[in-house]
Amino acid sequence: MTTAFTFSSKRRDVLRLAAAGLATGPLWAQAQSGWPAKPVTVVVPFPAGGGTDAFARPLSASFSKLTGKQLIIDNRGGAGGTLGASIAAKAQPDGYTLFMGAVHHTIAPSMYPKLDYDIEKDFVPLALVATVPQVLVVNPKKVTEGDFKSFLEMLRKSPGKLNYGSAGSGTSHHLAGELFKQQTKTFITHIPYRGAGPALQDLIAGNVDMMFDGLGSSAAHIKGGRIKALMVAGPKRNAAFPDVPCAAELGLPEYTVQTWYGIWAPKGTPADVQARASEEIRKAGNTPEAKAVWANQGAEFSSMTSQQFGQFVSAEVKRWTQVVKLSGAKLD
């Protein structure tokens, strides 16, 4: 009898604990789904003024307006965007530190062999927020050729005469330049910076001659006449800049480079917080204010789900591995 009584008591204890778990489980989930309960920081791995910033800041404004909580931009530039990525990967996975990276972070694995993070394993994809074609831009005072054809003729006649700035070694700006050199059989000296913002400022100042940049950061400067666009790197013209010819019509049908930007959370972030963050980011990117900014910069906000974005990232890692191998690009 004693044994039976002891067993029954233990069983009652187990049932009480189970009941408590069932009671508190929904409360925990409710607390998690209350995200955001405080300001959210998004690590932007480049200095202010670059393409990532061009989308992160209007997205932040829309997010704050919709949720009532700030989305704070934390610029952490360096090492082609890998320094900020490393910092974000090690952040507390509670949904209050996010990471806004770019195509550069799918190039980095094949350029930086000793990265202390893995973009596919240490992050959770939330949303692809912007896709823009790259554009070949020049300082009109340094490069006086009026069109792409005469510009290309000059490059071939004077190898090494010009240099191009980039957001850093291993970024899409760098690889776009290497691909261009390979496909046009020209030589231009690469000058890496700590981000597209500083590189653009030096391009405007005339300290570098040209740049392969995403329209997100170049658009305002092209419209303001501070730099000149000679070519859109893709198969078609961009609606925001209909007068700029595309690579395909200029005799470079294989020259296609797009810059894209996405948001991730550190691995381990609760699933319901991931879902809520993804939802709020999409809402922020689809406000009339954000749509106007995207259109003005020749960009599109993706309709990909989080899962599709993750698959896209994996495909981009494989694609850029091949591009790096074929181009022979190396860190400067």
Side-chain angles (χ1 to χ4, degrees):
M1 294 293 293
T2 302
T3 302
F5 176 78
T6 303
F7 176 77
S8 297
S9 297
K10 287 182 178 178
R11 186 178 181 184
R12 282 196 296 272
D13 289 341
V14 171
L15 290 172
R16 278 198 297 270
L17 287 171
L22 288 172
T24 58
L27 292 176
W28 177 86
Q30 185 178 5
Q32 292 297 312
S33 63
W35 184 95
K38 61 181 181 179
V40 179
T41 296
V42 58
V43 175
V44 172
F46 296 102
T52 319
D53 242 33
F55 296 103
R57 294 191 181 277
L59 192 70
S60 169
S62 293
F63 178 94
S64 300
K65 184 177 179 181
L66 290 173
T67 66
K69 303 297 179 184
Q70 280 186 295
L71 186 64
I72 301 168
I73 307 298
D74 183 9
N75 292 98
R76 299 291 190 99
T82 61
L83 177 61
S86 177
I87 292 169
K90 298 173 180 62
Q92 185 72 23
D94 58 3
Y96 290 97
T97 299
L98 303 179
F99 172 62
M100 186 162 178
V103 57
H104 319 302
H105 295 93
T106 58
I107 298 171
S110 56
M111 293 290 294
Y112 291 83
K114 296 182 179 180
L115 290 178
D116 62 352
Y117 71 91
D118 187 310
I119 192 65
E120 295 182 86
K121 296 178 181 178
D122 296 326
F123 289 98
V124 177
L126 297 180
L128 177 61
V129 299
T131 303
V132 292
Q134 283 214 345
V135 61
L136 166 58
V137 288
V138 300
N139 180 303
K141 295 180 181 178
K142 299 288 294 292
V143 179
T144 56
E145 284 74 15
D147 57 26
F148 179 82
K149 183 179 179 181
S150 55
F151 166 76
L152 186 58
E153 288 177 358
M154 180 272 293
L155 286 182
R156 287 173 171 161
K157 289 178 181 178
S158 306
K161 178 181 178 180
L162 299 185
N163 55 44
Y164 75 98
S166 81
S169 295
T171 62
S172 63
H173 307 77
H174 176 200
L175 268 294
E178 295 305 307
L179 281 175
F180 179 84
K181 288 157 61 175
Q182 183 185 42
Q183 293 188 17
T184 59
K185 296 179 173 55
T186 56
F187 178 74
I188 318 158
T189 302
H190 176 222
I191 309 294
Y193 285 79
R194 287 176 61 87
L200 268 173
Q201 290 307 312
D202 260 15
L203 175 64
I204 293 166
N207 296 324
V208 290
D209 304 311
M210 55 186 286
M211 190 171 172
F212 300 87
D213 190 32
L215 268 175
S217 46
S218 280
H221 301 298
I222 296 169
K223 291 178 179 179
R226 293 178 286 277
I227 56 178
K228 182 176 181 179
L230 295 182
M231 177 184 69
V232 172
K236 63 180 182 180
R237 298 193 180 200
N238 185 270
F241 295 88
D243 295 332
V244 180
C246 67
E249 64 187 279
L250 292 172
L252 297 172
E254 302 300 319
Y255 188 68
T256 299
V257 183
Q258 284 189 325
T259 296
W260 54 262
Y261 306 93
I263 294 185
W264 289 259
K267 180 183 177 181
T269 301
D272 56 317
V273 174
Q274 294 176 35
R276 180 68 190 278
S278 178
E279 179 185 1
E280 293 300 336
I281 289 165
R282 293 176 197 287
K283 286 180 181 177
N286 281 291
T287 61
E289 297 85 354
K291 283 184 175 181
V293 172
W294 265 237
N296 192 48
Q297 298 181 133
E300 297 178 355
F301 193 98
S302 175
S303 60
M304 284 185 188
T305 64
S306 298
Q307 183 180 10
Q308 289 170 334
F309 177 39
Q311 294 168 346
F312 172 74
V313 168
S314 296
E316 283 286 273
V317 170
K318 292 177 182 176
R319 175 189 176 227
W320 286 108
T321 297
Q322 290 299 313
V323 171
V324 170
K325 182 178 179 180
L326 290 173
S327 69
K330 293 180 174 60
L331 295 177
D332 293 282

